[in-house]
Amino acid sequence: MTSPTVPAAVPAGTSGAGTFDLAVIGTGLAFAESLTELSSVLRAGGAAGTAVVQAPPGTGKTTLVPPLLANLAAPAGMAKRVVVTQPRRVAARAAARRLASLDGSRIGDRVGYTVRGERQAGPATLVEFVTPGILLRRLLDDPGLESTGAVILDEVHERGLETDLLLGMLAEVRQLRGDLTLVAMSATLDAPRFAALIGGAAANAGTGQAGTADDDGGPAPVVDCPSALYPLAVEWLPAAVARLDDRGVTRGFLDHVADTAAQAHTAAVAEDTRTDAVVFVPGAWEVSYVAARLRGRAAPGTEVLELHGQVSPAEQDQAVSGRRPGGPARIIVSTDLAESSLTVPGVRLVIDSGLTREPRRDASRGMSGLVTVSCSRASAEQRAGRAARQGPGRVVRCYDQRTYGAAPAHVTPEIAVADLTGAALVLACWGSPGGAGLALPDPPPAAAMGEAVEVLRELGAVGPDGHAISLGRTLVRVPADPRLARALLDGAAAVGHRAAAEAVALVAGDQRAPGADLTRLLSGLRAGKDPAARRWAEDVRRLEGIARTEGAAIRQSAIASLVRSAPVTAAEAVGVVVALAFPDRVARRVPGDGPARYLLSSGTRAGLPAGSPLTGHEWLAVAEVSRAAGRDAACTGAVIRSAAPLSADTAEAAAGHLLTDTVEAQFSQGRVKARRERRLGAISLSSTPVRPSAEEGRAAVARALAKEGLGTIGWSTAADVLRRRLALLRHELGEPWPDVSEPALLARLDSWLGPELEALAGGAATSSIDLTDPLRRLLPWPEAVRLAELAPEALKVPSGSMVRIDYPEVSDRAAPGGAGSDGAAADQAGPGQEAPRQARADDGGRPVVAVKLQECFGWAETPRLVDGRVPVLFHLLSPARRPLAVTDDLASFWSGPYAQVRAEMRGRYPRHPWPEDPWTALPTARTKARM
């Protein structure tokens, strides 16, 4: 282990007038010992000014690498700044303030930051910390980054979507600017992958592939740093209750986390009063819940702070700034904000829930959102490391080692699971539609990217080739989802620039709507009661300016015209803008008792949170809906997270392109019925019975036949017999006998069933249709004259009776010529059981004659059909018409098995003849008394 108190080795020539004093800044930071190596690599221009820094959290890489790059540029007289990306706003502010403090300068002078809605930087700024989204938009405005001398992408291991895009885009910038230094920094052991990506990109331009050591570009050098961690004790304390259920994180588990944190912190402070703690939970709601419980259970005087994206910047800064001199012990309850980007002074204890939020996209239901999952093992290690950065520490994991072992090794790349609409617009504006040609860490999923590009086409943001057109370049300047950006410009014409800007800032922000009600959240922000009110107001001012300057370009859009045609009240303004952004999420209440359920125009059903102020509204414009279970989902599998009310007229105007007015004809209960359906997407607005046109009727009949087959009409006995006879002839003789299988008949309906289809389309009932005559239209001529000869309906037996031939089912067309089966069976059927009326599955697909045994006395030669090709299979019956034997060789039967049958049956049926010699007996259907 490298002790953080060892004096730093500072490369020569890295301090002086106008430069940063790295000896002072690096005091006590482990990465100071790696500065000489990194400086040498960059001075030598390795891989054209690239490097990957691999260093664990807490080593000081974020504090030391930016001023080093600024110093390296100073001797050459370069006045270009170093831009450093941080994945979160709080991390960017905290890193800038820490470096400025160590430098002894004011924030905004030599060291500054820019995040959404807040900027502390000026012309003299040498190092600027920004979020990835800020740098992406700068790249689109200035693809050469002419005022920037170096870019540092920090925390690339987190695999944020915007950081992944920056890796690919900056690699292309370096092809144009050989003097641009690019450094990627990772806290995990995947640095070689990023080294190959940014170092070899120039050699693989346009291929979408990362470089290798054999490329002319070569991988970027990797600069390692030994761990800065002190000894760390790990404890496993799983809860007695489940961490997750179908509603999310269980309250019982959160109680366990809070109680564990209170007990562990109380014990730690008793040993060392300087000990502060960080508690990791997955989301803002869980932070608030655990913090509230801790305030009643932690030791008296303990300060409990919350750290997540929804608290104010001042509260975030307070949480990460460390304990005030003489201040009380602190417990910071945080999301993964405090996982890797920040070093919180004084933390010696970590309580880890082992849970995190990750984006997920449900393409089938048109939903994207965050889901709670187990954090990766890499994340768990980084969380634990928070406790051992400034001294020996302790981590208590509120789960067991088996759960840890089953967790994924690394975080899931956001590009693989998130909605890609915003990313697709950035790539289209960059000139790489869908990411084509960019050396990205992972390619975007083809299906998700395809859907995103289709959304952009619907918005009018890209052309047929996928490249951005004028409107797309306008939308990308709006710091919001492209759908919200378009709604800002369209909505300004309907509700005014200010109201549209308020609505977009509201939906694009991090705040959670109470009870899913966006209008209530808006009231709190306007009144300044919400902690995020100041940042929201800044966003509103910026968006309003964009709406005023850019809105005129699309003021005549069809959607805006539809909205202007319907009066919009102030109370509906938010709903109108949300509906313009997400017309597929306009929702109508589903009638019925119980919890409120809504049907979205996309076809998804969702519930409302219990007690929501929106309950009772007929129409809603939904901004966010996510998969969920439990009471709030109301048995729909989804819950509305944020929405605003709409009137019916406004809903139809805002989502007017989804309106349809059609006649829907259906074949139901044996006849065609039709209704005039007016719909908004999947939502039915009205339904009226109408008389279908002939074309609509034909389409309905065709759909029914395609779905359910000819059974929709039904086969009469005569039609079924004829079809079976024809099927046998087709099987044995082939052409020209018609194929009467279901697929073949459906494929040529017009040639044999045309008049009947027209009758059905006109409203006739199926009961009036007999398929016998239509089938006869398929008979080939002149061969049809032999139908009765080749496949007769009935067979005359020796007694003189005409017995119906049961032909095999059409689908049962086994090859002919199978061996006959002779045999006798005891008459074991129950009383009154009838003989088979149709050929059975075990009859080998042959025609069957079921006849009383006595009617066949003396019949030696088994009849054959189809010019002698197919022997008839006889089911010989008892006087009670129960099967006695099955044979296709009558001569063999009379000579053998008959004797056994006679011995068993003559006592049971004494009134019927059972002669010893069946060859000479008179065939009869009568009893002995009537012969």
Side-chain angles (χ1 to χ4, degrees), residues 707-885:
K707 181 179 180 181
E708 301 176 19
L710 291 165
T712 302
I713 300 175
W715 294 96
S716 66
T717 300
D720 184 51
V721 168
L722 176 59
R723 184 183 176 212
R724 290 173 182 239
R725 293 164 67 198
L726 292 175
L728 179 67
L729 294 178
R730 172 73 178 193
H731 182 243
E732 297 298 330
L733 302 177
E735 293 289 349
W737 295 99
D739 184 351
V740 291
S741 65
E742 184 94 348
L745 289 175
L746 290 174
R748 53 186 301 193
L749 286 172
D750 290 341
S751 66
W752 69 282
L753 196 59
E756 287 73 19
L757 292 180
E758 287 298 315
L760 290 173
T766 55
S767 59
S768 66
I769 305 296
D770 188 334
L771 295 180
T772 306
D773 287 338
L775 276 178
R776 291 188 179 278
R777 296 177 189 138
L778 294 173
L779 291 175
W781 295 95
E783 290 83 356
V785 298
R786 297 192 63 207
L787 174 62
E789 173 192 345
L790 296 172
E793 290 188 53
L795 185 68
K796 187 174 183 179
V797 298
S799 67
S801 300
M802 295 296 295
V803 182
R804 190 186 72 191
I805 301 174
D806 288 321
Y807 286 88
E809 293 184 1
V810 174
S811 59
D812 185 2
R813 293 185 290 179
S821 57
D822 296 328
D827 187 8
Q828 297 174 341
Q833 178 175 329
E834 292 294 324
R837 298 297 297 172
Q838 295 180 349
R840 301 182 308 188
D842 57 0
D843 290 332
R846 289 176 289 175
V848 171
V849 170
V851 59
K852 287 199 297 185
L853 181 148
Q854 284 81 3
E855 294 195 61
C856 299
F857 287 152
W859 205 355
E861 182 151 355
T862 302
R864 289 177 172 268
L865 308 180
V866 195
D867 286 336
R869 287 179 173 82
V870 182
V872 173
L873 185 66
F874 280 88
H875 288 194
L876 299 176
L877 311 178
S878 73
R881 303 197 64 80
R882 300 170 187 167
L884 297 176

Side-chain angles (χ1 to χ4, degrees), residues 25 67 83 133 159 197 334 425 485 500 640 660 719 811 922:
I25 294 173
V83 176
R159 300 304 310 279
L197 187 71
S334 176
L425 181 57
I640 294 170
T660 59
S811 59
L922 180 67

Side-chain angles (χ1 to χ4, degrees), residues 398-761:
C398 297
Y399 50 99
D400 56 28
Q401 289 170 285
R402 181 177 179 181
T403 301
Y404 172 83
H410 299 284
V411 66
T412 304
E414 189 177 358
I415 197 171
V417 293
D419 183 295
L420 298 181
T421 308
L425 181 57
V426 169
L427 292 170
C429 291
W430 184 250
S432 300
L438 277 187
L440 298 172
D442 286 295
M449 182 57 73
E451 292 173 10
V453 172
E454 184 58 33
V455 170
L456 296 180
R457 288 197 182 98
E458 292 173 0
L459 294 176
V462 298
D465 60 356
H467 286 79
I469 58 178
S470 177
L471 177 59
R473 290 187 287 272
T474 297
L475 297 181
V476 82
R477 289 196 290 271
V478 181
D481 179 285
R483 288 162 289 204
L484 282 171
R486 179 65 195 259
L488 171 69
L489 305 182
D490 279 333
V495 301
H497 299 97
R498 178 74 179 182
E502 286 183 334
V504 170
L506 187 73
V507 177
D510 298 327
Q511 302 79 32
R512 176 170 292 184
D517 187 358
L518 285 171
T519 56
R520 178 169 292 190
L521 175 60
L522 177 61
S523 298
L525 290 168
R526 282 174 171 171
K529 297 177 182 178
D530 192 282
R534 187 169 67 87
R535 188 173 67 212
W536 173 78
E538 291 289 338
D539 288 344
V540 170
R541 282 192 288 272
R542 185 169 64 257
L543 292 171
E544 184 178 1
I546 293 173
R548 291 185 183 279
T549 56
E550 307 288 352
I554 62 167
R555 191 162 297 201
Q556 300 305 314
S557 71
I559 296 177
S561 299
L562 280 170
V563 176
R564 288 199 307 273
S565 68
V568 178
T569 65
E572 289 183 310
V574 175
V576 168
V577 175
V578 172
L580 286 170
F582 307 109
D584 58 323
R585 300 180 198 166
V586 169
R588 187 179 190 182
R589 184 183 174 98
V590 177
D593 298 329
R597 291 186 297 274
Y598 284 81
L599 174 63
L600 278 62
S601 59
S602 65
T604 293
R605 291 176 182 263
L608 268 178
S612 170
L614 297 173
T615 301
H617 283 281
E618 180 75 7
W619 289 90
L620 296 177
V622 178
E624 182 184 357
V625 59
S626 61
R627 296 181 64 175
R631 182 181 62 175
D632 289 350
C635 301
T636 64
V639 65
I640 294 170
R641 301 295 184 189
S642 60
L646 281 174
S647 69
D649 290 341
T650 308
E652 292 181 28
H657 65 293
L658 297 179
L659 279 171
T660 59
D661 191 343
T662 60
V663 173
E664 296 183 5
Q666 293 183 345
F667 195 82
S668 174
Q669 297 178 336
R671 66 174 65 239
V672 173
K673 300 176 182 178
R675 301 186 72 87
R676 188 180 190 89
E677 298 282 353
R678 190 165 179 270
R679 294 181 176 275
L680 187 68
I683 301 171
S684 176
L685 302 176
S686 62
S687 179
T688 308
V690 295
R691 182 180 181 83
S693 66
E695 181 178 352
E696 292 162 348
R698 283 191 292 269
V701 173
R703 286 192 301 269
L705 290 174
K707 181 179 180 181
E708 301 176 19
L710 291 165
T712 302
I713 300 175
W715 294 96
S716 66
T717 300
D720 184 51
V721 168
L722 176 59
R723 184 183 176 212
R724 290 173 182 239
R725 293 164 67 198
L726 292 175
L728 179 67
L729 294 178
R730 172 73 178 193
H731 182 243
E732 297 298 330
L733 302 177
E735 293 289 349
W737 295 99
D739 184 351
V740 291
S741 65
E742 184 94 348
L745 289 175
L746 290 174
R748 53 186 301 193
L749 286 172
D750 290 341
S751 66
W752 69 282
L753 196 59
E756 287 73 19
L757 292 180
E758 287 298 315
L760 290 173

Side-chain angles (χ1 to χ4, degrees), residues 61-62 83-96 113-116 128-136 152-164 166 184-187 308-309 316 335-343 382 386 411 414 510:
K61 62 183 184 298
T62 303
V83 176
V84 189
T85 64
Q86 289 293 323
R88 301 169 184 86
R89 292 190 291 261
V90 61
R93 289 195 305 267
Y113 66 87
T114 301
V115 297
R116 195 179 78 188
E128 181 186 16
F129 291 86
V130 302
T131 52
I134 296 293
L135 183 54
L136 274 178
I152 300 171
L153 300 177
D154 203 359
E155 313 295 350
V156 293
H157 62 278
E158 292 194 8
R159 300 304 310 279
L161 176 56
E162 291 178 324
T163 300
D164 277 6
L166 284 172
M185 300 202 295
S186 172
H308 54 80
Q316 292 177 347
T335 61
D336 58 5
L337 273 178
E339 187 174 297
S340 61
S341 304
L342 302 165
T343 296
Q382 291 185 66
R386 295 285 134 192
V411 66
E414 189 177 358
D510 298 327

Side-chain angles (χ1 to χ4, degrees), residues 908-930:
R908 182 172 299 183
Y909 300 104
R911 297 173 57 203
H912 295 266
W914 298 97
E916 290 187 28
D917 182 7
W919 295 103
T920 60
L922 180 67
T924 181
R926 301 180 178 183
T927 63
K928 289 189 288 185
R930 300 181 62 187

Side-chain angles (χ1 to χ4, degrees), residues 265-286:
H265 186 250
T266 299
V269 170
E271 296 180 6
D272 185 348
T273 58
R274 297 171 298 172
T275 300
D276 289 342
V278 172
V279 182
F280 285 102
V281 290
W285 181 85
E286 291 84 1

